[in-house]
Amino acid sequence: MIVALNNKCNLTHEEFTEYLTQLNKIDCQSKLILIPSFCNISLANNCKFALASQNISSRNNGAYTGEVSAQQLKSFHVKYTLVGHSERREYQKETLTELNEKVKRAFENSITPILCVGETKEERENNQVKEVIEKEITSAIKDLTEEEKQQLIIAYEPIWSIGTGVIPTIEEIEEVFNMIKTQLPTSKILYGGSANEKNISILKESKLIDGYLLGGLSLKPKELKEFLTILEN
Ligand code: PGA
């Protein structure tokens, strides 16, 4: 199981140092991927988990103020990157073309993209889930090689579930996962959106889920440990 910890825009230098001490005490069989803010990445260089970034520039090094390139991330031993988290699609207005470029820059630098996809509540109510997710995936994988498509990780995160405490039913999750598998039969697929130590016993009933992308829970080492214990037993 993959368990990816998306810290989002949280934790100061001091808070992150303390957090890392707590996190390093966790023993588990799952593959933990830590996704700190850019400013904390160098502090996590020696931790025992794989490192990911929350974003990656669509451009190579150059005159792009405020951007962080794939080459720079690679030099900090970043192995994965989120691409197209719904918060970036919404607040940073990331476009489908730009996200395809980000996926390509990642692969060019041996960084595995974790492509986030998911529908809004309104899109679900209007029966547009398939259309939305297919479009997000088709545009992101444009021009990728077959090998890259196999390596790409997908995180299905229904937007109405992120940070709300509401999770979809197993049937709803599996319907989307099966849809994704028609486009990317061998890619690993994570579930994200309000997954926590209280609902993991329900979520783990699905045999299709290859892992989880955790936001809120990533910031609580004690509850995260409980989550991992339930997940693995
Ligand atoms: P959440 O966030 O676990 O707090 O719902 C998940 C995410 O946005 O990746």
Side-chain angles (χ1 to χ4, degrees), residues 28-54:
C28 65
Q29 295 138 30
S30 301
K31 181 180 174 58
L32 289 195
I33 302 179
L34 180 57
I35 323 177
S37 296
F38 281 133
C39 56
N40 288 333
I41 282 183
S42 66
L43 301 172
N45 241 318
N46 292 323
C47 81
K48 57 182 186 177
F49 314 120
L51 258 184
S53 58
Q54 298 177 11

Side-chain angles (χ1 to χ4, degrees), residues 31-217:
K31 181 180 174 58
L32 289 195
I33 302 179
L34 180 57
I35 323 177
S37 296
F38 281 133
C39 56
N40 288 333
I41 282 183
S42 66
L43 301 172
N45 241 318
N46 292 323
C47 81
K48 57 182 186 177
F49 314 120
L51 258 184
S53 58
Q54 298 177 11
N55 180 33
I56 188 167
S57 180
S58 59
R59 315 232 186 207
N60 288 319
N61 290 343
Y64 304 109
T65 304
E67 290 292 289
V68 179
S69 72
Q71 293 94 324
Q72 291 174 312
L73 293 171
K74 188 181 176 185
S75 73
F76 279 97
H77 311 291
V78 167
K79 296 281 186 289
Y80 302 85
T81 183
L82 294 184
V83 174
H85 189 284
S86 61
E87 287 152 12
R88 296 201 56 84
R89 291 184 197 253
E90 182 182 353
Y91 305 129
Q92 265 64 45
K93 306 282 175 255
E94 290 187 333
T95 66
L96 296 177
T97 320
E98 199 181 349
L99 295 177
N100 175 235
E101 290 302 320
K102 288 179 185 238
V103 167
K104 289 188 208 163
R105 289 307 83 74
F107 275 127
E108 285 160 11
N109 289 279
S110 315
I111 294 173
T112 303
I114 303 174
L115 177 72
C116 303
V117 299
E119 80 288 354
T120 60
K121 195 166 180 7
E122 196 185 355
E123 287 162 344
R124 176 162 281 275
E125 283 164 2
N126 293 335
N127 286 322
Q128 293 172 308
V129 180
K130 185 166 188 282
E131 187 190 322
V132 168
I133 288 168
E134 250 176 33
K135 190 172 166 198
E136 287 180 340
I137 293 179
T138 308
S139 53
I141 64 175
K142 188 168 168 276
D143 305 326
L144 295 192
T145 64
E146 279 313 309
E147 199 189 335
E148 287 170 341
K149 285 183 200 168
Q150 282 175 20
Q151 282 172 22
L152 180 72
I153 298 174
I154 302 291
Y156 169 54
E157 299 203 298
I159 296 169
W160 47 275
S161 179
I162 296 176
T164 60
V166 182
I167 56 164
T169 63
I170 295 296
E171 291 70 30
E172 285 170 333
I173 293 175
E174 294 200 332
E175 198 185 351
V176 175
F177 273 47
N178 282 322
M179 229 148 65
I180 296 171
K181 282 179 186 298
T182 59
Q183 279 183 288
L184 296 165
T186 52
S187 289
K188 291 214 180 317
I189 314 177
L190 316 182
Y191 168 76
S194 293
N196 60 35
E197 77 286 6
K198 296 196 179 73
N199 55 33
I200 186 59
S201 52
I202 300 170
L203 290 167
K204 78 179 218 183
E205 279 169 28
S206 172
K207 298 292 168 254
L208 297 185
I209 299 178
D210 295 306
Y212 297 87
L213 178 53
L214 307 174
L217 194 70

